[in-house]
Amino acid sequence: MTSQPLGLNQALTPATAEHRKAFETKAFEILSQKFEAAMDPRDRWSLTAIVPGSRLRECVHFLRDDPAMRLDLLLDITAVDYLGYPGHDAARYAVVYNLRSQRFAAHRLRLKVWVEEEDPQVPSIHDFFEIANWQERETWDQYGIDFSGHPDLRRLLNHIEFTGHPLRKDYPVRKRQWLSTNDPLILPLEARLEANGFVVLEHVAVNSPSVEETDLLGKSAVEKINYVEKAK
Amino acid sequence: MKVQTPEGEHVDLLTVNIGPSHPATHGALRAFVALDGEIIRAASTEIGYLHRGFEKMVEQGTYQQVLPYTDRLNYCSAILNNIGFSHTVEKMFEVEVPERATTLRVLLSELSRLIDHQVCIAAAAVDLGALTNYWYLFNPREEVYSIWEKLSGARLTNAFTRIGGLYRDTYEGFETDVRDVLPKIEKGLDDAFKLLEHNRIFIDRTRGVCPITAEQAVSWGWTGPCLRATGVDRDLRKDDPYLSYETYDFQTVIGSTGDTYDRLLVRMYEMRESLSICRQALSRLKPGPVNTADARLSLPGHDKTYHDMEALINQFKLVYEGIRAPAGEFYGSIEAANGELGFFIVSDGTGKPWKIKVRPPCFTQFAAYADLVEGSLVADAIACLSSLNIIAGELDR
Amino acid sequence: MGAEATTATLATSAGSLEPPVGALHQDAGLNQTFMTTTIDAVVGWGRKNSLWPFTFGTACCAIEFMALAGSKFDIARFGAEFIRFSPRHSDLLVVAGTITYKQAPILRRIWEQMMEPRWVLSVGACASTGGFYDCYCTLPGIDEVIPVDVYVAGCPPRPEAYLDAIIQLQQKIQDASYMQDRQNRSHERIQIG
């Protein structure tokens, strides 16, 4: 097994089951020593390390930058709602971080953070990975997990008048919600302009009648054809 | 919108919506941009216009019923998604499908990859105004559709694989048909090369447009042809081989600058490699079963079901209760046409999935879009968007 | 004219424009002359053979629409030589793909921007009924927000099914009476004014 991380333009040695096992053993040893990690028995095939939320940021930072780990590709952030899961004895939600390495082919691991129902909060890692921004937004949108420190936690897939978090197990699958008018997106655009060094002197003129009838947070407006009443 | 630039000037910016009712085939994406003349000073993107609730819907049915939903993720290369899902569930069972199924899956994967890249390149050229390529690349696609039709019954959304193998064995004449279609795809590709590769206008429109560095691309989570265009030599078929890809002889196609030109040309050269893999797979096709005999996954077959009580019960349970994946959490992935397509499956031991999260490759590409286009012209933004090959079905699920 | 949402049902109530008892349609007599039926036939013929589609393609059905625009199935022979990308230039709104609640206001706005005569083709299971995405985010059919002329079943429908739907739409257009519609519009104006 190569011990040195490879450059991005060098081909990797293909991963084998032995490499993966060796990595998982070593990784778990280090994580349990440094970050109070525990093995997740629910993952019977590979390594899922459960870390407390308070140690998450250091752990992710370490895994990304340590030369022996170099898990620099954040594949996915998602949450699992265990409400009703047979034999479940821990917190209701878990946020799962799926990491892989672009320097070592065999380095793959998942991190898991338990999140309580009463206070669903996890620290954000958007400054370590650019893609974490959108992945955390999606997790918030679908599950309602708050990522503290996230610069712009708003809905990603569902529309702005949507209330509730649809992937939670107690959200009825057929509960439909109408949208009366689209998000004008003016506030996020101004935020980006400001991040790029511009100063907004005069805000954008809204010409569309439907937008005039809406406040910028997208509260329900009545359009010419009022199809809001069709919501079942 | 009056703003003060970082240099202190007062400028009037025009705000324009690009999308979500968008020409060309990208469908349901929206970029709200602030323009200074033609230059984009800031962009704010919005997705979710095709959010159809894949994850919530799959929780309602059995594992087998997930397959048609996977078709509609990246609908340009439906069989690749089927293979990704079936392969992931089979790994949960630690079951290997028979050799014929493996070879056919490779063949179908590469054919799907070919038709996906054809759509991307054809649509990208149309976005730039080059209409002829559209027909050169779409006509061979029709030939592949005829093969899909004869094989699975559907042209576009096939649901051809099953957990444990394939829907059924190939029809008589399949190998001849595939052997005939490959030169047609190659001819279409060669015509597209002649029209695009050294075309002054194409190069001017795409060279140096919206480049990205390798480190940035990795931080944005890019995988697949868009990442390879930045010079990063990563391909899941080589790095973490599945379906015996290590026994095939092909090269990873790598770009250099990560601009739009590279992203499109990487796909075109990858099509050549895929054609080579198809030929290799065809030459090693041998008769055999296409479904595993494992009773946890595969239906027993009509003759056994009608004559043997246990087989009847097995069939009943598999269909009504679903394939019962072992309880636990598993992540499996393949190299789809856009990058690493992953499925994170949480199983509670019953036949209905507890949760299936799709890790879509083009999600990461579009997340970087706002950063990519800021500072470039509107026309460049369109060219960039088409080179990223965003399929809304996969992006929004 | 296409089937219209009857939000503007202004005509027909009281007054001298009420149809006589026993009349088959609004003004028995005016539309049954040789002149008006010939004009109807000519206008219908012109309209049905120059359908300019606006593809509101969101998902997989849009890929089949692209195949339709290819050489094998060729929608150009129906007069749709070039697919218009502006609702102002087109008269056939082809909704191909799933429409979500997020997309619904936009679909409505695009339809409103089209000028009459306009027709709507609802392509595929998702546009017609929501398809198999029976959940919190999918509009259960575009007829919740816009009126539809022809529904095309399939997931995705074959290009031949698309063409069959277009042929049925052409029949509908041919059968519609241009003179009658013109008269209805003038009645509406008289009532409002």
Side-chain angles (χ1 to χ4, degrees), chain B residues 85-101:
Chain B
F85 176 70
S86 304
H87 185 68
T88 304
V89 181
E90 284 151 19
K91 285 210 316 215
M92 285 175 90
F93 282 91
E94 284 156 352
V95 155
E96 291 279 333
V97 293
E99 199 197 318
R100 183 173 170 84

Side-chain angles (χ1 to χ4, degrees), chain C residues 65-161:
Chain C
F65 190 86
M66 286 164 72
L68 187 68
S71 320
K72 189 166 175 184
F73 297 100
D74 195 17
I75 200 177
R77 52 197 163 127
F78 289 86
E81 183 58 49
F82 181 67
I83 314 296
R84 304 278 128 190
F85 288 115
S86 166
R88 307 275 187 203
H89 300 175
S90 57
D91 47 17
L92 176 63
L93 179 63
V94 178
V95 184
T98 321
I99 302 298
T100 59
Y101 283 100
K102 208 173 196 179
Q103 187 81 294
I106 292 166
L107 176 63
R108 176 77 196 182
R109 187 178 286 189
I110 296 284
W111 180 80
E112 286 172 352
Q113 288 176 347
M114 287 172 72
M115 286 181 293
E116 287 167 14
R118 58 188 169 190
W119 299 277
V120 176
L121 201 61
S122 161
V123 178
C126 289
S128 308
T129 60
F132 68 169
Y133 292 104
D134 185 13
C135 63
Y136 57 91
C137 45
T138 309
L139 196 66
I142 59 172
D143 46 13
E144 302 265 338
V145 292
I146 57 179
V148 176
D149 288 289
V150 185
Y151 299 84
V152 191
C155 190
R158 294 184 55 96
E160 287 98 333

Side-chain angles (χ1 to χ4, degrees), chain A residues 17-183:
Chain A
E18 294 82 40
H19 291 176
R20 272 190 280 266
K21 257 282 134 323
F23 166 72
E24 283 166 17
T25 323
K26 192 171 83 154
F28 184 66
E29 218 179 281
I30 298 176
L31 287 176
S32 57
Q33 273 170 12
K34 291 176 103 120
F35 304 107
E36 309 161 37
M39 191 94 84
D40 186 11
R42 291 168 192 79
D43 181 355
R44 5 166 131 181
W45 299 269
S46 58
L47 173 62
T48 298
I50 304 178
V51 291
S54 50
R55 311 298 305 276
L56 175 70
R57 281 182 57 87
E58 309 166 46
C59 185
V60 168
H61 197 170
F62 168 78
L63 287 172
R64 189 190 70 167
D65 291 342
D66 183 73
M69 300 279 116
R70 287 304 257 138
L71 292 171
D72 54 356
L73 175 61
L74 177 61
L75 282 171
D76 208 5
I77 300 179
T78 185
V80 187
D81 180 356
Y82 288 99
L83 184 72
Y85 192 95
H88 185 67
D89 52 0
R92 177 172 170 187
Y93 299 109
V95 178
V96 180
Y97 297 81
N98 200 341
L99 294 156
R100 173 158 90 81
S101 175
Q102 293 286 34
R103 316 283 177 160
F104 297 98
H107 291 198
R108 274 184 189 267
L109 102 75
R110 292 204 295 281
L111 289 177
K112 199 164 177 181
V113 179
W114 287 115
V115 176
E116 295 292 339
E117 185 174 354
E118 297 79 38
D119 180 29
Q121 255 206 40
V122 167
S124 164
I125 56 169
H126 72 279
D127 46 344
F128 297 133
F129 297 98
E130 298 268 18
I131 188 58
N133 190 318
W134 272 32
Q135 288 168 341
E136 288 174 354
R137 273 179 66 187
E138 185 185 338
T139 311
W140 181 83
D141 186 5
Q142 302 284 58
Y143 286 94
I145 313 268
D146 185 20
F147 289 88
S148 49
H150 193 283
D152 183 25
L153 202 61
R154 55 191 164 97
R155 291 203 181 267
L156 189 70
L157 296 177
N158 294 302
H159 58 73
I160 47 170
E161 290 174 19
F162 200 93
T163 50
H165 299 280
L167 277 182
R168 289 186 173 181
K169 289 290 179 181
D170 47 5
Y171 187 94
V173 62
R174 290 190 184 88
K175 180 176 168 196
R176 302 179 134 100
Q177 298 190 34
W178 281 89
L179 172 68
S180 60
T181 189
N182 283 91
D183 186 352

Side-chain angles (χ1 to χ4, degrees), chain B residues 96-151:
Chain B
E96 291 279 333
V97 293
E99 199 197 318
R100 183 173 170 84
T102 309
T103 316
L104 276 174
R105 278 185 178 182
V106 169
L107 177 61
L108 297 173
S109 286
E110 295 307 315
L111 275 174
S112 299
R113 198 186 309 274
L114 280 167
I115 62 179
D116 194 302
H117 287 334
Q118 280 175 328
V119 178
C120 176
I121 297 160
V126 166
D127 284 349
L128 300 173
L131 295 169
T132 318
N133 288 289
Y134 180 82
W135 284 277
Y136 286 161
L137 291 167
F138 258 71
N139 287 344
R141 228 180 114 84
E142 286 294 327
E143 313 281 333
V144 180
Y145 275 176
S146 306
I147 297 180
W148 284 172
E149 250 183 308
K150 286 192 254 188
L151 192 62

Side-chain angles (χ1 to χ4, degrees), chain B residues 23 31 103 127 208 222 253 346 373 389:
Chain B
T103 316
D127 284 349
W222 284 25
V253 181
V346 176
V373 301
N389 197 21

